[in-house]
Amino acid sequence: MADKDDITEGKDFGLGIPQDYKPFHVKGANALDWGMQNRLARIFNPESGRTVMLAFDHGYFQGPATGLERIDLSIVPLIPYADVLMCTRGVLRSVIPAAVPKPVVLRCSGGQSILKELSNEAVAVDIDDAIRLNVAAITTQIYIGAPHEHQSIKNLIQLIDSGNRYGIPTMAVTGVGADMARDTRYFLLATRIAAELGAHYVKSYFVEDGFEKITSACPVPIVIAGGKKLPEIDALTMAYRAVSEGAAGVDMGRNIFQSDSPVAMIQAVAAVVHKNEEPNRAFELYETIKAELNK
């Protein structure tokens, strides 16, 4: 307790010096409360404004996909090189060490398998459990144009509303079915709908033509999904083009954990995202780290 007999009057009031105020570095987030901004600042690096998310939530509908048979062997060694982990609560609790300081984006949708219609999802995590897990953000998919479009949008609205009550941001994922178009027009529609409904950032796909329109028309950050496994140089080129055309980072899974050298690949991706390293230079970095690891 302060000693009441030794109170001195303050002297350094900085008179004539305006209080410093810097705009928040995450797109569209200036009006958010401190807790929401704090969580977003853990996801998006304040220096680069970008993020490298490591996605390994595939098992919630695919089962043990290639590279994810043993999360403890394939994913845990990559954690030091990722900015953010994206996973399910089951894997988080059973495999990821609690001492890991990385922010977590929690997969909160489920209810279908790869054997059925992908858009037929429900909210699969209660907000109370997300709070218990101390996550930095929550996420679900919206399937615009799919048979269960309406339900998927309701799922997103439910997450946004529950997250807002506790200062937890929501990432919307623009899910696409096997027979759905993956073009500029579709992603312009899907990303804008997600942002208009209140998503704090959006995970979408890179498209060769018109991606800059998509990032420009979306008032919150877009991170790109890695999608199917590509040759390393192609995945690095995709990441480079995406951030050059307005993406705020990547949320990659298969293009990292299915790489010939996942530890080297995630570092090469980070060089592209945070340091604007050109693809050829990033690939050289990948080859150098890979060779060192194989000695």
Side-chain angles (χ1 to χ4, degrees), residues 25-48:
H25 67 282
V26 177
K27 181 180 180 182
N30 264 324
L32 300 179
D33 198 5
W34 191 93
M36 192 80 79
Q37 289 186 348
N38 179 261
R39 288 182 173 90
L40 287 170
R42 296 175 62 206
I43 295 169
F44 294 98
N45 184 300
E47 294 184 9
S48 67

Side-chain angles (χ1 to χ4, degrees), residues 28-243:
N30 264 324
L32 300 179
D33 198 5
W34 191 93
M36 192 80 79
Q37 289 186 348
N38 179 261
R39 288 182 173 90
L40 287 170
R42 296 175 62 206
I43 295 169
F44 294 98
N45 184 300
E47 294 184 9
S48 67
R50 297 172 182 167
T51 187
V52 175
M53 296 176 57
L54 177 61
F56 51 101
D57 58 326
H58 307 62
Y60 90 96
F61 74 102
Q62 290 184 359
T66 301
L68 296 180
E69 299 91 343
R70 287 282 301 272
I71 300 290
D72 57 326
L73 301 179
S74 61
I75 296 299
V76 171
L78 301 178
I79 290 176
Y81 309 101
D83 296 320
V84 182
L85 310 179
M86 179 170 169
C87 61
T88 62
R89 61 180 173 180
V91 161
L92 187 63
R93 282 193 166 107
S94 61
V95 183
I96 305 304
V100 165
K102 303 290 182 173
V104 171
V105 174
L106 188 68
R107 163 65 65 180
C108 292
S109 57
Q112 92 291 33
S113 77
I114 199 170
L115 304 177
K116 297 291 186 178
E117 168 56 44
L118 293 179
S119 66
N120 191 17
E121 286 194 328
V123 172
V125 177
D126 188 87
I127 190 63
D128 288 349
D129 210 23
I131 294 168
R132 275 190 289 270
L133 290 168
N134 194 33
V135 302
I138 50 183
T139 185
T140 186
Q141 299 192 155
I142 54 170
Y143 290 89
I144 303 303
H148 298 277
E149 173 191 272
H150 181 66
Q151 180 60 45
S152 72
I153 291 175
K154 285 179 64 178
N155 295 341
L156 175 63
I157 294 169
Q158 180 180 335
L159 280 192
I160 292 168
D161 285 342
S162 59
N164 281 346
R165 287 197 295 273
Y166 300 100
I168 300 177
T170 298
M171 179 182 78
V173 181
T174 59
V176 289
D179 300 324
M180 297 168 66
R182 299 191 182 201
D183 56 20
T184 302
R185 183 180 180 184
Y186 177 80
F187 290 119
L188 275 168
L189 176 66
T191 58
R192 185 58 177 262
I193 287 174
E196 295 268 359
L197 290 173
H200 301 93
Y201 72 112
V202 180
K203 175 180 175 179
S204 193
Y205 289 88
F206 178 73
V207 293
E208 292 288 335
D209 299 313
F211 184 72
E212 197 167 15
K213 293 180 181 178
I214 298 170
T215 58
S216 178
C218 187
V220 297
I222 290 178
V223 297
I224 66 159
K228 65 181 181 180
K229 176 66 176 72
L230 301 171
E232 280 74 10
I233 185 62
D234 292 344
L236 292 169
T237 300
M238 178 178 66
Y240 180 80
R241 286 194 57 191
V243 296

